[in-house]
PDB file of all heavy atoms in Angstrom:
ATOM      1  N   GLN A 571     -30.603  -2.328 -60.077  1.00 98.00           N
ATOM      2  CA  GLN A 571     -29.597  -1.986 -60.987  1.00 98.00           C
ATOM      3  C   GLN A 571     -30.120  -1.098 -62.090  1.00 98.00           C
ATOM      4  O   GLN A 571     -29.384  -0.042 -62.485  1.00 98.00           O
ATOM      5  CB  GLN A 571     -29.061  -3.239 -61.757  1.00 98.00           C
ATOM      6  CG  GLN A 571     -28.206  -4.067 -60.846  1.00 98.00           C
ATOM      7  CD  GLN A 571     -27.514  -5.319 -61.498  1.00 98.00           C
ATOM      8  OE1 GLN A 571     -26.614  -5.149 -62.222  1.00 98.00           O
ATOM      9  NE2 GLN A 571     -28.035  -6.365 -61.258  1.00 98.00           N
ATOM     10  N   VAL A 596     -26.251  -4.377 -54.967  1.00 98.00           N
ATOM     11  CA  VAL A 596     -26.101  -4.158 -56.415  1.00 98.00           C
ATOM     12  C   VAL A 596     -26.204  -2.654 -56.843  1.00 98.00           C
ATOM     13  O   VAL A 596     -26.266  -2.326 -57.929  1.00 98.00           O
ATOM     14  CB  VAL A 596     -27.115  -5.065 -57.191  1.00 98.00           C
ATOM     15  CG1 VAL A 596     -26.830  -6.549 -57.118  1.00 98.00           C
ATOM     16  CG2 VAL A 596     -28.596  -4.717 -56.877  1.00 98.00           C
ATOM     17  N   ALA A 615     -35.417   4.488 -36.670  1.00 98.00           N
ATOM     18  CA  ALA A 615     -34.644   4.594 -35.484  1.00 98.00           C
ATOM     19  C   ALA A 615     -34.103   5.966 -35.247  1.00 98.00           C
ATOM     20  O   ALA A 615     -34.017   6.433 -34.085  1.00 98.00           O
ATOM     21  CB  ALA A 615     -33.696   3.369 -35.393  1.00 98.00           C
ATOM     22  N   ASP A 639     -45.568  -6.066 -29.724  1.00 96.00           N
ATOM     23  CA  ASP A 639     -45.345  -7.161 -30.673  1.00 96.00           C
ATOM     24  C   ASP A 639     -43.721  -7.114 -30.917  1.00 96.00           C
ATOM     25  O   ASP A 639     -43.370  -6.771 -32.071  1.00 96.00           O
ATOM     26  CB  ASP A 639     -46.149  -6.914 -31.915  1.00 96.00           C
ATOM     27  CG  ASP A 639     -46.047  -8.036 -32.899  1.00 96.00           C
ATOM     28  OD1 ASP A 639     -45.166  -8.949 -32.712  1.00 96.00           O
ATOM     29  OD2 ASP A 639     -46.684  -7.994 -34.002  1.00 96.00           O
ATOM     30  N   GLU A 657     -24.600   3.599 -22.867  1.00 97.00           N
ATOM     31  CA  GLU A 657     -24.424   3.117 -21.541  1.00 97.00           C
ATOM     32  C   GLU A 657     -25.710   3.141 -20.577  1.00 97.00           C
ATOM     33  O   GLU A 657     -26.461   4.119 -20.723  1.00 97.00           O
ATOM     34  CB  GLU A 657     -23.400   4.017 -20.696  1.00 97.00           C
ATOM     35  CG  GLU A 657     -21.935   3.842 -21.200  1.00 97.00           C
ATOM     36  CD  GLU A 657     -21.396   2.497 -20.693  1.00 97.00           C
ATOM     37  OE1 GLU A 657     -21.604   2.141 -19.483  1.00 97.00           O
ATOM     38  OE2 GLU A 657     -20.757   1.800 -21.490  1.00 97.00           O
ATOM     39  N   GLU A 709     -49.946  -7.831 -40.718  1.00 93.00           N
ATOM     40  CA  GLU A 709     -49.549  -8.382 -41.893  1.00 93.00           C
ATOM     41  C   GLU A 709     -48.355  -9.619 -41.779  1.00 93.00           C
ATOM     42  O   GLU A 709     -48.234 -10.297 -42.737  1.00 93.00           O
ATOM     43  CB  GLU A 709     -49.160  -7.348 -42.877  1.00 93.00           C
ATOM     44  CG  GLU A 709     -47.905  -6.560 -42.560  1.00 93.00           C
ATOM     45  CD  GLU A 709     -48.223  -5.244 -41.527  1.00 93.00           C
ATOM     46  OE1 GLU A 709     -48.982  -5.417 -40.795  1.00 93.00           O
ATOM     47  OE2 GLU A 709     -47.382  -4.333 -41.679  1.00 93.00           O
ATOM     48  N   ALA A 728     -55.881   6.024 -21.017  1.00 98.00           N
ATOM     49  CA  ALA A 728     -55.558   7.198 -20.296  1.00 98.00           C
ATOM     50  C   ALA A 728     -55.574   6.925 -18.768  1.00 98.00           C
ATOM     51  O   ALA A 728     -54.803   7.508 -17.995  1.00 98.00           O
ATOM     52  CB  ALA A 728     -56.582   8.274 -20.598  1.00 98.00           C
ATOM     53  N   VAL A 736     -44.304   8.775 -17.508  1.00 98.00           N
ATOM     54  CA  VAL A 736     -43.689   8.007 -18.657  1.00 98.00           C
ATOM     55  C   VAL A 736     -44.078   8.658 -20.056  1.00 98.00           C
ATOM     56  O   VAL A 736     -45.117   9.163 -20.288  1.00 98.00           O
ATOM     57  CB  VAL A 736     -44.238   6.587 -18.747  1.00 98.00           C
ATOM     58  CG1 VAL A 736     -45.725   6.472 -18.777  1.00 98.00           C
ATOM     59  CG2 VAL A 736     -43.572   5.653 -19.864  1.00 98.00           C
ATOM     60  N   PRO A 769     -36.928  16.568 -40.682  1.00 98.00           N
ATOM     61  CA  PRO A 769     -35.511  17.005 -40.503  1.00 98.00           C
ATOM     62  C   PRO A 769     -34.505  15.790 -40.618  1.00 98.00           C
ATOM     63  O   PRO A 769     -33.404  15.968 -41.135  1.00 98.00           O
ATOM     64  CB  PRO A 769     -35.506  17.720 -39.205  1.00 98.00           C
ATOM     65  CG  PRO A 769     -36.679  17.409 -38.502  1.00 98.00           C
ATOM     66  CD  PRO A 769     -37.711  17.027 -39.541  1.00 98.00           C
TER      67      PRO A 769
END
Side-chain angles (χ1 to χ4, degrees):
Q571 288 186 74
V596 296
D639 187 355
E657 285 291 313
E709 65 276 33
V736 59

